[in-house]
Amino acid sequence: MSQSAATVPTNNSPYADLPSISSKLFEAKARKGLTFDQIAKAIGKDEVWVAAAFYGQAKFTTDELKKVSETLGIPAEESLSSLGDHWWPNRGLGPMPPTDPVIYRLYESVLVYGHAIKAVVHEKFGDGIMSMIDCKVNVEKKPDPKGDRVLLTFDGKFLPYAKW
Amino acid sequence: MSQSAATVPTNNSPYADLPSISSKLFEAKARKGLTFDQIAKAIGKDEVWVAAAFYGQAKFTTDELKKVSETLGIPAEESLSSLGDHWWPNRGLGPMPPTDPVIYRLYESVLVYGHAIKAVVHEKFGDGIMSMIDCKVNVEKKPDPKGDRVLLTFDGKFLPYAKW
Amino acid sequence: MSQSAATVPTNNSPYADLPSISSKLFEAKARKGLTFDQIAKAIGKDEVWVAAAFYGQAKFTTDELKKVSETLGIPAEESLSSLGDHWWPNRGLGPMPPTDPVIYRLYESVLVYGHAIKAVVHEKFGDGIMSMIDCKVNVEKKPDPKGDRVLLTFDGKFLPYAKW
Amino acid sequence: MSQSAATVPTNNSPYADLPSISSKLFEAKARKGLTFDQIAKAIGKDEVWVAAAFYGQAKFTTDELKKVSETLGIPAEESLSSLGDHWWPNRGLGPMPPTDPVIYRLYESVLVYGHAIKAVVHEKFGDGIMSMIDCKVNVEKKPDPKGDRVLLTFDGKFLPYAKW
Amino acid sequence: MSQSAATVPTNNSPYADLPSISSKLFEAKARKGLTFDQIAKAIGKDEVWVAAAFYGQAKFTTDELKKVSETLGIPAEESLSSLGDHWWPNRGLGPMPPTDPVIYRLYESVLVYGHAIKAVVHEKFGDGIMSMIDCKVNVEKKPDPKGDRVLLTFDGKFLPYAKW
Amino acid sequence: MSQSAATVPTNNSPYADLPSISSKLFEAKARKGLTFDQIAKAIGKDEVWVAAAFYGQAKFTTDELKKVSETLGIPAEESLSSLGDHWWPNRGLGPMPPTDPVIYRLYESVLVYGHAIKAVVHEKFGDGIMSMIDCKVNVEKKPDPKGDRVLLTFDGKFLPYAKW
Amino acid sequence: MSQSAATVPTNNSPYADLPSISSKLFEAKARKGLTFDQIAKAIGKDEVWVAAAFYGQAKFTTDELKKVSETLGIPAEESLSSLGDHWWPNRGLGPMPPTDPVIYRLYESVLVYGHAIKAVVHEKFGDGIMSMIDCKVNVEKKPDPKGDRVLLTFDGKFLPYAKW
Amino acid sequence: MSQSAATVPTNNSPYADLPSISSKLFEAKARKGLTFDQIAKAIGKDEVWVAAAFYGQAKFTTDELKKVSETLGIPAEESLSSLGDHWWPNRGLGPMPPTDPVIYRLYESVLVYGHAIKAVVHEKFGDGIMSMIDCKVNVEKKPDPKGDRVLLTFDGKFLPYAKW
Amino acid sequence: MSQSAATVPTNNSPYADLPSISSKLFEAKARKGLTFDQIAKAIGKDEVWVAAAFYGQAKFTTDELKKVSETLGIPAEESLSSLGDHWWPNRGLGPMPPTDPVIYRLYESVLVYGHAIKAVVHEKFGDGIMSMIDCKVNVEKKPDPKGDRVLLTFDGKFLPYAKW
Amino acid sequence: MSQSAATVPTNNSPYADLPSISSKLFEAKARKGLTFDQIAKAIGKDEVWVAAAFYGQAKFTTDELKKVSETLGIPAEESLSSLGDHWWPNRGLGPMPPTDPVIYRLYESVLVYGHAIKAVVHEKFGDGIMSMIDCKVNVEKKPDPKGDRVLLTFDGKFLPYAKW
């Protein structure tokens, strides 16, 4: 739903830790009433990845950034000046342990199921890791009469440990 | 693959933080050469959940524990004496941030994609969280000619925030 | 009690960690001399929940925010521009352990009574948690000749742990 | 439900941080199949307070300890030797932030609702705190067709700040 | 001793964590050359309590704040606008462990004598605490030919632990 | 009050961080039913200082240790073997922030009144500190009809900062 | 590749912890489209060392700074005013543990291979360390059909431990 | 140089965090007077990798472990019982920040050169990381008349960030 | 060596934690090309003490501050307004553990030699401490053909522990 | 002064973090009544260095260890078995920040004088550090009628930063 005005508090977490252009992207998105999915479609990417890029955790190519700027009605020069070729993500956002309950639940999954996941990965793949670099993340809504469910998927390459 | 002898170091992380019966379950599993999937089938549960129970992060019913003990060749009384009705999981295992690279990659997913996931959840569901209590976790092997991939899935109930 | 002027230090904790509109809400509330209960009545909600929303820990609907703005004499467009549809709470406020003695006492209740509460919950409900999402919080004054007492109540849904 | 055998892992959290007599109390309670409520009735106290005392967070009088020992079938001399007149609770149990999800939800209540509770306490009582020393804690089961609810209550004396 | 000009660095610890009016109170106090004791006498309070209020750790009544403002030559409206009825102390100031040697020595007293004080309090009073809410703090100079001594006194109410 | 048997849990905080002879001193003190004041009188010292020495935070001379051992009915050779000339206190006991509410209140005094105390010390003495080395600590019971009060006193030498 | 405009977010990590001239150096480098290697060649140094100097972790001589300024089209007086003779690096940049995955992998190398490296250094050199002061760091691209590899080299002087 | 007897303190860091078989491997290595390089040659691996395996940071195959055991004169069944198919490294050893000066210098390299290395990696490879999983670590002695130098090399695969 | 212009980054560590006058003192010192030793001679003090005062860790008397201001060509009123009678050092500067390698080496001396120094102090002086309040610190250059050496000296009063 | 019996608490800090042979060295030293200086003379070393070696922070050669063992009346084989060729110091002992007041004062010197020392080192030597590897530490007693003083000296090589 679009709004005539929308401001994002640039002195608050997590925006205070992002380039100021990020706040402008979020404000334009709110004014236009666009979802991440709608923006993502404009550049042929997925919504979670685009959201990550909005939060400074992924890098748009010059072309993608131009299209995103156009979609949001922001001058491309401004976006490129901040997030162009010279900019690289400084990844990692927010306090740890997370204070926000949504993000804390993800953190809790590591506390409670981390060793179980590691054990099953070793049983099925051997000594190595699931890459978080070559990994795709997806969030789906799964309707359920007892209450809708979130389907969160990580699809990451297995990397066997080098021996030498 | 079964082995004639298998010991688990009860003074090392994470076993030092578990009841001593846990080490015995792991040792019996190794001697029998069983996978978590094989044990899980014996009680009609999933392998990740069973692994979580081995790591003291979930609770077997009395019946499940009896069947698991039988499958592993451990006297049921011994398992029940430690993990019976009176025992409740004290969840949360291992150091944070994790030092093990497998588990750290999960932690890194929170650092890098936590805000993006939160934003998309809010767009699709409104104000609330993905439950990590009513949540099922799954690990699949996805063959890929460029290198096999790990498919890690969280299927959690959406809980809208109460207002009152 | 209303005052002609009231300022809230936007660079101090906890206000420095909130959108700047939050300080304006607090200042208007002070100038009007309204209690949280009076504001809550205007929108048919409870005082603790409204206080939580003032501290950026809960989300007003557009209608509620309009009524709150009207009650406080703040232009609704300004409130909506900051806390409208595009804004979501980034929950978790203040240092941990808390330095303020009021909040520290709550923290101390977790240190001293946390395990006892967990044990009784398990005895009465089985393996699961009291939801802090679907939970209502209430503060009542209970007059007592030996000194008034605070009655603090959490009314939260029990969520059994998923097994799969 | 009583069991013929019950062991409590004395080297695990939180038992590793308690006197060894505590584990024996828990084991006897499990073998007898008693609830905290049943034990509490034997000494005319509340179940949460008794659970706190089992976890070393409150102090039984000599009389109470004798009755508890008798109820559990443990020699009173043994209990008194450990928890007698010379013993005082060293309060504070378990890691912070809590790793166990049940206890973490309580901690989260401080993060999310701490400032709101503080604000309402100040509005209703003035400058002071809710005592966590002169405070009674209660856990009730509230049946609800949409899912049972936990009713957790803190009834604490208000203490105004001294001025001098 | 009064000075024609005095500035307090509002971007430095601990002033950066206080309302900006606090810096003005400190600057006026320095320009007037007043001690905390002299200010305290103007409102019939003690010097340590007044110093605590200057550091945002205690709350002046409206009357006290007016008199303090008058004594310092600051417009009362300005003080009230910041520290009036709507303002409540957010107590707890400075890093922990303290880096300043004066404050660290107090912290060291907890490290070295904390358990001894607890043990003697239990011997003399039973199970309970010395209140830090209903507590008066005093600093006296005790002349001594071998070097003057600081006499620091805490006079706090004993609060027995509730049982229920 | 003396007891026929008394054990101190050597694997629990704070005893686990003390020489094993310390537990024996505490156990003998409990069996004899002596207060710290009674033991202190036997060696012409103060009760808080003696309690500190029991907790390994101060050093008995050989003579003092012999008298303390005699008073408690412990062989002097055993005490001297552990706490004799070769032993020096490794000061600092217990976690910080303290989890025990008695000790936490002392810690809270540093958080809330630390800067006020520092400011008054500077006003009265100039640039320097109150020594925590040449400092005597005292705990008195002050009867009060509204509830007894704890009088906790620190009498420490002022040390001016060296300049060179 | 040069761009007509390039901004570096001076309020974001790591730039917020650097002199403001650093942001200008990065912006000029981006506008000119120069690599660190090209800048390094202009002053006869290595690219990693020059990058370290851009991040405030190494010190240019006056001559080097003049040449770098000239290369980037920045007035030398401005650079010298900030990074001249009076400026010394305040080394150490970014949070630890690092949140950025590139830098975290280096940190992980210490966690996983730190003891192994220490053991082999001791076997080959005896008791001492590899200096990180007299140490040269190099990053090379090593083409590989299975995927290019990063060759990261530390060439540091061995310093034997002094004995005296 | 071989010794008739050699003990490794199993209660000290880092051995206390390793399986007890690890201490036996280190003790046998000392008694035989073998270097990591000599052991590595017996299984066709590199000395740093073998040292990592001794410290529980890498996994021997069954064949490798048999040969290592034979080389050290340890029964293979004993090694296999602890480090066989069922055992997986729980990677990450020692405190962070490291307290040992050898390992701290590696940590310091991340503090001082981390951002410079990241910047040069991005310039040469684009957005991605140097893998610490598919990475080989090497320590060489480089004789130098001014003092020998340590040549520490990381040869890790570049992994480009996935986009989806 | 004097420079026509010199700026000190007031938003960077450690200057951001100092009064803004401190940056001006450093800038004037750089423009005048004076060493700490030259400034110290103007007021009859030592260079390390003067450097500490520049970093806000020691207090100039009014006379000293006037002379320092005159030497640097800064109006005395400005310095006095910030660092006059009303200002007291808030000691303790920079992160701990230090990230800067120069300061870290001092910290490392505490890690590696702290217990040895304590043991020798006890052997030579008995139970007590070396005062860091009545302590003079000196840095000398000791020429050495194998490489110059830093001679760092602490000359602190021994304070015996009080007993009472 | 020698004693017939002396025990060192192997489960207490710092002994719990040292090889068990260390406790035996300390016990033998106490029984023989030897100072570190007397032991040091037997091997031609300095007392602080020998104390560091006793605390596992430095490495005796085989010859030195034999002589030390002989001086203390301990079988050399036993010392060599623990601290022989295969043993390397795992440096860094005790908690940080230190809780013991003697060691804390050293830590405080870093907090208060660290930046001043760094600044004077840079003025006198340029960009580099004082080595804590090639560094000799000395503790002398300096008699003074106003109270004896500790003279603590660090004599460390200056290491200029490498540029490349």
Side-chain angles (χ1 to χ4, degrees), chain G residues 7-51:
Chain G
T7 60
V8 162
T10 57
N11 66 317
N12 292 167
S13 176
Y15 308 104
D17 298 320
L18 298 175
S20 59
I21 188 72
S22 297
S23 294
K24 291 186 185 166
L25 296 180
F26 280 104
E27 289 174 349
K29 172 178 176 298
R31 277 195 305 271
K32 291 266 179 177
L34 296 168
T35 63
F36 282 116
D37 192 47
Q38 290 169 322
I39 299 168
K41 286 207 164 60
I43 58 168
K45 284 277 167 307
D46 183 273
E47 64 189 340
V48 175
W49 186 84
V50 168

Side-chain angles (χ1 to χ4, degrees), chain A residues 129 161, chain B residues 99-106, chain G residues 108 112, chain H residues 91-92 133:
Chain A
I129 66 159
Y161 248 95
Chain B
T99 61
D100 184 82
V102 181
I103 304 179
Y104 183 82
R105 295 313 182 272
L106 303 175
Chain G
E108 190 175 295
V112 176
Chain H
R91 288 177 170 95
I133 304 302

Side-chain angles (χ1 to χ4, degrees), chain F residues 35-47:
Chain F
T35 62
F36 282 117
D37 192 47
Q38 289 169 322
I39 299 169
K41 284 205 167 60
I43 58 167
K45 284 275 167 308
D46 184 273
E47 64 189 341

Side-chain angles (χ1 to χ4, degrees), chain B residues 36-107:
Chain B
F36 283 115
D37 192 47
Q38 290 169 321
I39 299 169
K41 285 205 164 63
I43 60 168
K45 284 276 168 306
D46 184 272
E47 62 189 341
V48 176
W49 186 83
V50 168
F54 267 59
Y55 282 108
Q57 305 298 302
K59 182 166 173 49
F60 288 118
T61 62
T62 299
D63 267 10
E64 289 165 355
L65 193 51
K66 281 180 182 164
K67 280 184 198 154
V68 165
S69 302
E70 189 184 344
T71 306
L72 294 171
I74 287 181
E77 314 85 77
E78 195 180 343
S79 308
L80 285 166
S81 167
S82 288
L83 302 177
D85 279 359
H86 68 296
W87 180 86
W88 300 100
N90 193 9
R91 287 177 170 95
L93 192 64
M96 283 303 229
T99 61
D100 184 82
V102 181
I103 304 179
Y104 183 82
R105 295 313 182 272
L106 303 175
Y107 177 90

Side-chain angles (χ1 to χ4, degrees), chain H residues 4-147:
Chain H
S4 58
T7 60
V8 162
T10 56
N11 67 314
N12 292 165
S13 176
Y15 307 103
D17 299 320
L18 299 176
S20 58
I21 188 72
S22 297
S23 296
K24 292 187 184 165
L25 297 180
F26 280 106
E27 289 175 349
K29 172 178 175 297
R31 276 194 305 270
K32 291 267 180 177
L34 295 169
T35 64
F36 282 116
D37 192 47
Q38 290 169 321
I39 300 169
K41 286 205 164 61
I43 58 168
K45 283 276 168 307
D46 184 272
E47 63 190 340
V48 175
W49 186 84
V50 168
F54 267 59
Y55 282 108
Q57 305 298 302
K59 183 167 173 48
F60 289 118
T61 61
T62 298
D63 267 9
E64 289 164 354
L65 193 52
K66 282 181 181 164
K67 280 185 198 154
V68 166
S69 303
E70 188 184 346
T71 306
L72 293 172
I74 286 181
E77 312 86 76
E78 196 180 343
S79 308
L80 283 166
S81 167
S82 287
L83 303 176
D85 278 359
H86 69 295
W87 180 85
W88 300 100
N90 192 12
R91 288 177 170 95
L93 191 64
M96 285 302 233
T99 62
D100 184 83
V102 180
I103 304 179
Y104 183 82
R105 296 312 183 274
L106 303 175
Y107 178 89
E108 190 175 297
S109 75
V110 185
L111 269 174
V112 175
Y113 297 113
H115 279 84
I117 292 169
K118 172 180 157 79
V120 174
V121 165
H122 284 333
E123 269 193 9
K124 295 194 170 178
F125 294 83
D127 191 15
I129 65 159
M130 175 177 77
S131 176
M132 196 47 60
I133 304 302
D134 183 348
C135 185
K136 297 166 188 169
V137 187
N138 200 262
V139 173
E140 290 302 325
K141 186 171 191 170
K142 188 178 150 189
D144 187 311
K146 293 183 198 155

